[in-house]
């Protein structure tokens, strides 16, 4: 046994509280990334993470207070910290194999396995977060020598814990996860907390600390095994070319046997960009962005397309198609994730000479541009990930102000086969700003393209302009207009209107997802 001086003991107690607060927030934020790479980052996922962690912390506060009264000893306190650190580091190492099973189930639309995996990973947080919750009440009990100072001691402890929480809030997201990944971020904070716990325990009882040195050895051994291989196995029949865990996404580029490359994000559901060395057009969502300007009154000829902007550039499929049809056309692309930009340039041919890439949030970035555009495309959301601030009347007014007199806004909107609430609300909102809105359903998908024109236009203009295309028009443009004309449907609107003050996008999307699952949507996808 050792007897540290009271001043050193008190200072180290504050360090322990600081480290506990820092680790608690770091674990919560890292949990969202750990789960987000498989299950996404929708409101449902966030609600489950935050809700259960609050429950675990509540239990920890209660248990910690009772525990401190029954065993008010520094050795007990530092043992709690050390075990909390061990289980915090264990979470991602145990979760990785579970998440790999979940990722495969997600790709196969196995709802039971996916939900079970989600619940299993959340349960893994019960022990470490509950133990972390014990730290604050226990520390107050140890520091409280005189009830006359109870308020001051409590305030100091919570202030130190909150200061640590601030560090734990920003450091994972802004620094560690983009640099070293989610699993290693867990291990860094767990390691720091474990070092504090073992050092504090050694100050009280060196033998007790030595008996727990197996903990970092076990975590290190498990980390070596767990960190080998990709975070997500590529889809069946695909080769993984690139994987990067950025501040925003798990970014993967995969390739099939025919040389097609695909950009996948997070859980891997949905292709965000596509590339092939000898093909430009894929009869998918991106080609519809070529068709938008041709809703203007005929004859609308290719030489009138002068400059475009894309919010949600991804890995540049839209910009590549535009550059092929209109060689050298000036293009401004806005993409929030620099990791996606790097992957696009390295693996998916996003090197068009006229493309200016801005790494920024879509709305902020668009408002920094001084040009006017023939076409502004919004391809920045997909159910269930819809940034509400890109759906409002005010945002669409900002877009309109950056369009030429015959400019068009084109938006890719998600839906299901029977639920078009988001599409109809978006159309209703657009009609507050633009005189005409046209609707096209992308074949064999759950995507609808909305085209809003700055001038009053007719859906019949598209077919008329297709027929009037000059003989030398690029074949990709001709094919894109043909598919778009065949995909037209009447524009329907709802009573819902999105504004900056009230945009119930997330409630609509969450309801759509739940209804889709409950009404057999998984079976529909599987067939």
């Amino acid at each position: 046994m050792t007897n540290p001086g009271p001043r050193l003991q008190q200072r180290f107690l504050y360090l322990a509280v600081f480290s506990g607060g820092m680790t608690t927030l770091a674990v919560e934020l890292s949990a969202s990334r750990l789960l987000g790479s498989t299950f996404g980052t929708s409101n449902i996922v966030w609600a489950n993470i935050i809700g259960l962690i609050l429950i675990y912390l509540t239990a920890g506060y209660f248990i910690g207070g009772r525990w401190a009264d029954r065993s008010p000893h520094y050795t007990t306190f530092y043992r709690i910290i050390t075990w909390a650190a061990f289980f915090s580091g264990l979470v991602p190492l145990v979760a990785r194999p579970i998440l790999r099973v979940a990722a495969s189930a997600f790709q196969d639309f196995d709802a039971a396995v996916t939900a079970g995996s989600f619940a299993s990973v959340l349960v893994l947080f019960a022990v470490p977060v509950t133990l972390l919750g014990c730290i604050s009440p226990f520390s107050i009990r140890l520091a409280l020598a005189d009830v006359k100072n109870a308020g001051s001691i409590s305030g100091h402890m919570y202030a130190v814990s909150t200061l640590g929480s601030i560090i734990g809030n920003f450091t994972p997201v802004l620094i560690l996860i983009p640099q070293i990944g989610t699993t290693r971020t867990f291990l860094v904070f767990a390691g720091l907390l474990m070092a504090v716990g073992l050092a504090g325990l050694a100050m009280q009882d060196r033998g007790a600390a030595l008996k727990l040195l197996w903990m970092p050895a076990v975590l290190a051994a498990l980390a070596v095994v767990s960190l080998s291989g990709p975070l997500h196995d590529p889809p069946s029949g695909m080769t993984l070319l690139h994987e990067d865990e950025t501040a925003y996404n798990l970014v993967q580029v995969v390739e099939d046997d025919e040389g097609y490359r695909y950009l996948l994000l997070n859980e891997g559901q949905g292709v965000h960009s596509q590339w092939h060395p000898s093909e430009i057009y894929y009869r998918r969502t991106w080609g519809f962005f070529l068709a938008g300007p041709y809703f203007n009154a005929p004859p609308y000829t290719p030489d009138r397309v002068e400059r475009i902007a894309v919010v949600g550039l991804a890995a540049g499929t839209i910009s590549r198609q535009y550059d092929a049809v209109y060689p050298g056309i000036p293009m401004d692309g806005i993409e929030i994730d620099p990791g996606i930009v790097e992957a696009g340039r390295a693996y998916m041919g996003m090197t068009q000479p006229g493309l200016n890439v801005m790494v920024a949030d879509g709305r902020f970035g668009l408002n920094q541009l001084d040009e006017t555009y023939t076409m502004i495309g919004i391809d920045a959301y997909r159910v269930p990930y819809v940034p509400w601030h890109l759906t409002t009347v005010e945002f669409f007014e900002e877009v309109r102000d950056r369009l030429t007199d015959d400019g068009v806004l084109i938006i890719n909107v998600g839906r299901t086969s029977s639920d078009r609430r988001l599409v109809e609300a978006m159309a209703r909102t657009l009609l507050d700003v633009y005189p005409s809105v046209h609707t096209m359903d992308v074949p064999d998908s759950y995507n609808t393209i909305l085209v809003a024109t700055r001038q009053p236009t007719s859906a019949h203009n598209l077919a008329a302009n297709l027929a009037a295309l000059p003989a030398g028009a690029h074949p990709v443009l001709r094919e894109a207009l043909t598919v778009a004309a065949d995909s037209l449907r009447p524009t329907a609107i709802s009573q819902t209107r999105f504004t900056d003050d009230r945009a119930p996008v997330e409630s609509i999307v969450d309801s759509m997802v739940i209804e889709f699952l409950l009404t057999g949507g998984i079976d529909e996808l599987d067939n």
Side-chain angles (χ1 to χ4, degrees), residues 178-203:
Q179 297 297 323
I180 63 175
T182 302
T183 299
R184 290 179 177 86
T185 297
F186 267 99
L187 293 174
V188 165
F189 282 100
L192 291 173
L193 185 63
M194 185 174 290
V196 171
L198 289 173
L201 186 58
M203 291 170 59

Side-chain angles (χ1 to χ4, degrees), residues 5-21:
R7 180 172 296 182
L8 175 61
Q9 191 159 259
Q10 185 180 40
R11 288 178 178 176
F12 207 85
L13 183 63
Y14 281 121
L15 175 63
V17 172
F18 175 88
S19 302

Side-chain angles (χ1 to χ4, degrees), residues 231-245:
L231 293 172
H232 272 185
D233 292 328
S236 178
M238 300 281 188
T239 301
L240 181 63
L241 301 179
H242 171 77
E243 183 177 72
D244 181 27
E245 197 170 9

Side-chain angles (χ1 to χ4, degrees), residues 142-452:
L142 292 176
L144 194 60
D146 187 342
V147 294
K148 294 180 180 179
N149 298 322
S152 176
I153 293 294
S154 299
H156 288 162
M157 288 300 178
Y158 281 114
V160 170
S161 177
T162 302
L163 181 61
S165 298
I166 294 171
I167 304 300
N169 179 69
F170 291 107
T171 306
V173 176
L174 298 181
I175 300 174
L176 291 182
I177 291 176
Q179 297 297 323
I180 63 175
T182 302
T183 299
R184 290 179 177 86
T185 297
F186 267 99
L187 293 174
V188 165
F189 282 100
L192 291 173
L193 185 63
M194 185 174 290
V196 171
L198 289 173
L201 186 58
M203 291 170 59
Q204 309 296 324
D205 186 341
R206 193 166 300 160
L210 291 174
K211 290 178 182 178
L212 296 180
L213 286 180
W214 60 269
M215 289 183 175
V218 167
L219 289 180
L222 289 175
V224 170
V225 175
S226 178
L227 291 172
S228 60
L231 293 172
H232 272 185
D233 292 328
S236 178
M238 300 281 188
T239 301
L240 181 63
L241 301 179
H242 171 77
E243 183 177 72
D244 181 27
E245 197 170 9
T246 74
Y248 299 93
N249 298 287
L250 172 63
V251 179
Q252 291 183 316
V253 177
V254 299
E255 184 176 78
D256 65 17
D257 293 337
E258 297 179 355
Y260 289 94
R261 294 180 182 178
Y262 307 93
L263 173 69
L264 308 179
L265 301 180
N266 299 320
E267 74 278 9
Q269 290 301 307
V271 175
H272 295 263
S273 291
Q274 184 172 341
W275 177 89
H276 189 273
S278 61
E279 291 187 25
I280 300 294
Y281 183 71
Y282 312 109
R283 295 183 65 86
R284 300 180 77 160
T285 306
W286 310 290
F288 285 79
F289 287 82
L290 289 169
Y294 293 86
F295 279 95
N296 280 293
Y300 189 89
T301 53
D303 60 287
R304 294 173 63 181
V305 179
E306 297 178 349
R307 190 183 191 102
I308 70 161
V310 179
V311 175
L313 179 65
T317 304
I318 294 173
S319 63
R320 186 170 181 241
Q321 291 179 342
Y322 257 92
D323 186 68
V325 173
Y326 310 101
I329 183 174
M331 298 177 287
D332 290 310
I334 303 171
E335 172 56 53
I336 195 171
D337 192 337
I340 293 177
V341 174
E342 292 173 7
R345 287 171 172 163
Y347 295 94
M348 305 194 72
M350 198 176 73
T351 56
Q352 297 79 39
L355 177 61
N356 168 53
V357 178
M358 175 185 291
V359 176
D361 174 81
R363 187 166 178 176
F364 175 82
L366 186 67
N367 285 328
Q368 304 309 301
L369 299 174
D370 296 326
E371 305 290 342
T372 55
Y373 301 90
T374 305
M375 189 280 291
I376 295 177
I378 311 293
D379 195 20
Y381 44 78
R382 175 183 63 83
V383 173
Y385 317 118
V386 182
W388 68 268
H389 64 293
L390 301 182
T391 69
T392 65
V393 168
E394 292 84 354
F395 172 63
F396 295 143
E397 289 173 342
E398 293 165 6
V399 173
R400 180 194 59 197
D401 293 342
R402 285 158 180 79
L403 291 173
T404 59
D405 290 340
D406 58 355
V408 299
L409 165 63
I410 308 175
I411 307 178
N412 177 19
V413 187
R415 56 174 171 80
T416 72
S417 58
S418 58
D419 194 335
R420 305 180 67 88
R421 279 178 288 172
L422 183 59
V423 174
E424 292 171 358
M426 292 287 291
R428 166 68 179 84
T429 304
L430 286 166
L431 284 170
D432 265 21
V433 182
Y434 299 89
S436 302
V437 175
H438 308 290
T439 303
M440 297 171 285
D441 283 353
V442 180
D444 304 316
S445 80
Y446 289 106
N447 297 90
T448 291
I449 303 297
L450 295 176
V451 177

Side-chain angles (χ1 to χ4, degrees), residues 10-34:
Q10 185 180 40
R11 288 178 178 176
F12 207 85
L13 183 63
Y14 281 121
L15 175 63
V17 172
F18 175 88
S19 302
M22 178 178 67
T23 303
T24 301
L25 256 292
V27 164
E28 180 173 351
L29 288 172
S30 299
S32 70
R33 287 305 307 272
L34 185 71

